């Protein structure tokens, strides 16, 4: 089964918790701090696997979770970091965040990797919090929580040349003759239900990938027929071979077919018509094909709406007429056409992005029961990384809240001593 669009959920591993521990050493208060740091959590990483052709593997496995880091230990021993979780994807996979719409990356090269959820860092042990005033601190951090994301994976077939045209114009037959691909061929419309790829090898040593792209009829860009689901695969192609049936056996006007398919390509993406396009007059072995081709060229020459007059080449896949000339000319055009640059998103966890309107560190509201409610990603992360089992850690958390301006914000809103403040599942009393 050909699957080219899926949605999955990923969650990176939480960092290990830091340790509160003391060594037993003479003349050192409480033996001195000796709590180790937690290990880092595992990241979720996509990696291109050349052996994959579809996203079928994600049809039944949609949730991926990396392992958490090991907690810190006594005697200053660090916890073991968790191994990263690698997920194999085919070439041509675009990764998008469902909630934000941001394109995280475009995986188009063999072995290419993309970190989609970075593992949480390990919490610091109490060995890091020793000072002259507090040589034996009972303070440690919990590990940083992992990142949870819903992602959309979209596969766009990687092919140098794309075959487009109405059903039954000879796309699959041409692909089967010039490559070793074995697409299904039959005398009815929509025989081809999935894109088929094949490699064209020329005598001069050049080669390129050709794809038969099914489902284009009038209204395809609005979902008619196989619709828009396969139009996306045209995006990657550098040269378009527009096949038109010149036999006239179905009673259609070849020139009208040409205009209709181009109109659908333009509606989907206007830049597609700026790419090199060769009009391939197929089925030239049929009796009326030569007459129909002459009429087609006449209409094409008179059409002043076309910015560039396309080149027309005649072929017959049955008799192999014109196939060598077509494949070699296509290779010549490919040599002059640059490859498309993949979309690469900056890793937000590594690269700092300046924003003019920086998001507020927290928000303060009040519930109907008069409880003050604090919220905000930064505050919630700080809470999760605070070890509430030790009083000194709780006092440090209170100082951090004060430093972020929480106390001043509560006073400005009219909070009084004894009022209850809630942050997530944690509640405390406001003290002046």
């Amino acid at each position: 089964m050909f699957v080219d669009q899926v949605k999955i959920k990923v969650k990176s591993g939480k960092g290990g918790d830091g340790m509160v521990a003391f060594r037993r050493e003479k003349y050192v208060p409480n033996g001195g701090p000796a709590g180790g740091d937690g290990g880092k959590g595992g990241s979720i990483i996509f990696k291109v696997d050349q052996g994959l052709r579809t996203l079928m593997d994600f049809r039944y496995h949609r949730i991926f979770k990396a392992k958490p880091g090991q907690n810190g230990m006594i005697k200053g021993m660090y916890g073991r970091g968790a191994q990263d979780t690698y997920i194999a994807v085919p070439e041509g996979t675009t990764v998008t965040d469902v909630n934000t719409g941001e394109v995280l990356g475009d995986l188009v090269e063999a072995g290419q990797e993309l970190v989609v959820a970075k593992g949480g860092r390990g919490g610091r042990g109490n060995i890091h919090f020793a000072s002259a005033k507090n040589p034996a601190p009972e303070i440690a951090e919990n590990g940083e929580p992992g990142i949870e994301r819903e992602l959309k994976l979209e596969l766009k077939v990687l092919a140098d040349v794309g075959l487009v045209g109405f059903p039954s114009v000879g796309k699959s037959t041409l692909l089967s003759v010039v490559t070793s691909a074995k697409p299904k061929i039959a005398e009815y419309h929509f025989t081809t239900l999935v894109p088929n790829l094949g490699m064209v090898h020329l005598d001069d040593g050049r080669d390129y990938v050709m794809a038969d792209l099914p489902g284009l009829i009038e209204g395809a860009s609005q979902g008619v027929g196989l619709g828009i689901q396969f139009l996306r695969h045209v995006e990657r192609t550098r040269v378009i071979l527009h096949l038109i049936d010149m036999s006239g056996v179905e009673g259609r006007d070849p020139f009208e077919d040409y205009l209709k398919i181009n109109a659908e390509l333009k509606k989907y993406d206007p830049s597609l018509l700026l790419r090199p396009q060769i009009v391939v007059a197929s089925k030239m072995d049929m009796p009326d094909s030569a007459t129909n081709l002459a009429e087609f060229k006449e209409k094409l020459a008179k059409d002043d709406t076309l910015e560039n007059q396309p080149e027309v080449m005649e072929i017959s896949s049955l008799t192999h007429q014109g196939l060598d000339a077509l494949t070699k000319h296509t290779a010549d055009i490919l040599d002059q056409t640059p490859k498309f640059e993949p979309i690469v998103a900056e890793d937000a966890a590594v690269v700092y992005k300046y924003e003019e309107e920086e998001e507020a560190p927290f928000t303060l509201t009040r519930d109907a029961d008069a409880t003050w409610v604090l919220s905000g990603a930064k505050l919630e992360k700080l809470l999760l990384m605070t070890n509430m089992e030790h009083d000194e850690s709780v006092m440090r958390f209170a100082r951090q809240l004060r430093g972020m301006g929480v106390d001043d914000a509560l006073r400005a809103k009219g909070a009084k001593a004894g009022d209850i403040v809630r942050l997530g599942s944690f509640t405390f009393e406001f003290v002046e």
Side-chain angles (χ1 to χ4, degrees):
M1 183 180 293
F2 185 82
V3 179
D4 59 358
Q5 268 191 326
V6 292
K7 287 183 180 179
I8 65 171
K9 291 182 178 180
V10 298
K11 185 175 182 180
S12 59
K14 170 186 174 296
D17 297 339
M19 180 76 172
V20 173
F22 301 94
R23 61 181 194 272
R24 302 304 173 190
E25 188 175 330
K26 197 174 183 181
Y27 305 123
V28 179
N30 280 346
D37 298 350
K40 82 168 190 69
S43 299
I44 302 288
I45 304 174
F46 288 154
K47 185 173 182 178
V48 174
D49 183 346
Q50 285 184 297
L52 296 178
R53 288 292 176 267
T54 78
L55 299 173
M56 181 65 186
D57 291 348
F58 298 97
R59 192 174 178 87
Y60 305 106
H61 187 185
R62 294 178 182 263
I63 300 175
F64 298 86
K65 294 181 180 180
K67 293 184 178 179
Q70 187 180 13
N71 294 338
M73 293 169 283
I74 61 173
K75 298 182 181 180
M77 292 188 291
Y78 286 17
R80 184 189 298 273
Q83 290 187 341
D84 296 330
T85 298
Y86 284 86
I87 302 173
V89 294
E91 290 178 282
T93 302
T94 301
V95 185
T96 307
D97 189 299
V98 171
N99 297 317
T100 65
E102 178 189 5
V103 178
L104 303 180
D106 206 3
L107 300 165
V108 296
E109 297 176 2
Q112 185 179 352
E113 297 182 3
L114 174 68
V115 180
V116 293
K118 193 173 179 64
R121 68 174 177 84
R124 293 177 293 175
N126 67 333
I127 198 170
H128 292 281
F129 297 99
S131 65
K133 291 184 179 180
N134 188 4
E138 291 190 5
I139 302 174
E141 290 178 333
N142 289 337
E144 184 181 21
I147 297 172
E148 193 166 358
R149 270 178 154 164
E150 186 176 4
L151 304 174
K152 181 176 78 170
L153 306 185
E154 188 174 19
L155 176 63
K156 298 175 183 177
V157 168
L158 283 178
D160 301 306
V161 179
L163 305 178
V164 302
F166 271 85
S168 298
V169 296
K171 299 187 298 295
S172 297
T173 306
L174 173 61
L175 184 72
S176 68
V177 172
V178 299
T179 75
S180 58
K182 304 296 181 206
K184 181 179 180 181
I185 301 171
E187 293 183 358
Y188 57 85
H189 288 188
F190 300 110
T191 309
T192 306
L193 298 176
V194 301
N196 292 304
L197 279 78
M199 181 69 76
V200 179
H201 297 281
L202 301 181
D203 296 337
D204 58 11
R206 293 182 293 176
D207 54 37
Y208 53 87
V209 179
M210 180 181 286
D212 165 17
L213 305 172
L216 291 190
I217 60 173
E218 188 175 9
S221 58
Q222 280 76 45
V224 178
L226 294 180
I228 203 170
Q229 60 177 316
F230 292 123
L231 268 170
R232 73 175 68 91
H233 298 298
V234 188
E235 291 181 34
R236 305 273 194 196
T237 58
R238 291 188 286 150
V239 175
I240 296 174
L241 298 187
H242 190 158
L243 268 72
I244 298 176
D245 181 0
M246 289 295 169
S247 67
V249 294
E250 295 192 10
R252 294 203 309 261
D253 183 348
F255 186 70
E256 289 299 320
D257 286 358
Y258 168 74
L259 295 179
K260 287 175 182 177
I261 292 297
N262 274 352
E264 293 306 317
L265 294 176
K266 185 176 182 179
K267 287 177 186 177
Y268 178 75
D269 184 355
S271 68
L272 292 176
L273 295 187
L274 301 178
R275 299 180 191 178
Q277 183 179 134
I278 301 174
V279 173
V280 180
S282 66
K283 304 184 182 180
M284 291 303 296
D285 54 297
M286 300 294 284
D288 297 329
S289 295
T291 304
N292 292 334
L293 177 60
E295 293 177 2
F296 176 84
K297 287 182 176 179
E298 186 178 344
K299 291 180 181 178
L300 195 65
K302 292 179 179 179
D303 192 344
D304 54 3
T305 62
L306 300 174
E307 294 184 9
N308 299 312
Q309 284 287 329
E311 188 172 1
V312 180
M313 299 191 73
E314 307 172 26
I315 68 161
S316 168
S317 299
L318 185 64
T319 64
H320 292 201
Q321 171 193 344
L323 294 185
D324 285 343
L326 176 64
T327 53
K328 289 177 181 177
H329 185 59
T330 302
D332 293 339
I333 296 177
L334 281 172
D335 291 340
Q336 303 168 12
T337 308
K339 292 185 178 181
F340 297 102
E341 292 295 325
I343 303 168
V344 180
E346 294 181 356
D347 188 349
V350 178
V351 181
Y352 174 76
K353 296 180 181 179
Y354 173 77
E355 297 179 0
E356 292 183 2
E357 297 182 4
E358 191 172 346
E359 186 180 352
F362 64 88
T363 57
L364 179 62
T365 57
R366 199 170 194 183
D367 272 358
D369 61 357
T371 300
W372 296 98
V373 180
L374 285 168
S375 60
K378 190 173 180 181
L379 269 186
E380 291 165 5
K381 181 178 176 181
L382 192 63
L383 173 64
L384 290 172
M385 294 186 68
T386 301
N387 188 335
M388 295 296 180
E389 295 179 3
H390 299 279
D391 291 340
E392 287 188 36
S393 292
V394 176
M395 294 301 294
R396 177 173 177 265
F397 178 60
R399 291 194 298 272
Q400 288 172 319
L401 292 184
R402 191 176 300 116
M404 293 175 67
V406 172
D407 287 10
D408 293 339
L410 284 165
R411 291 191 190 95
K413 291 278 190 177
K416 298 178 181 178
D419 284 359
I420 301 300
V421 183
R422 184 171 73 246
L423 172 58
S425 59
F426 178 67
T427 59
F428 59 93
E429 194 175 291
F430 179 60
V431 179
E432 281 284 3

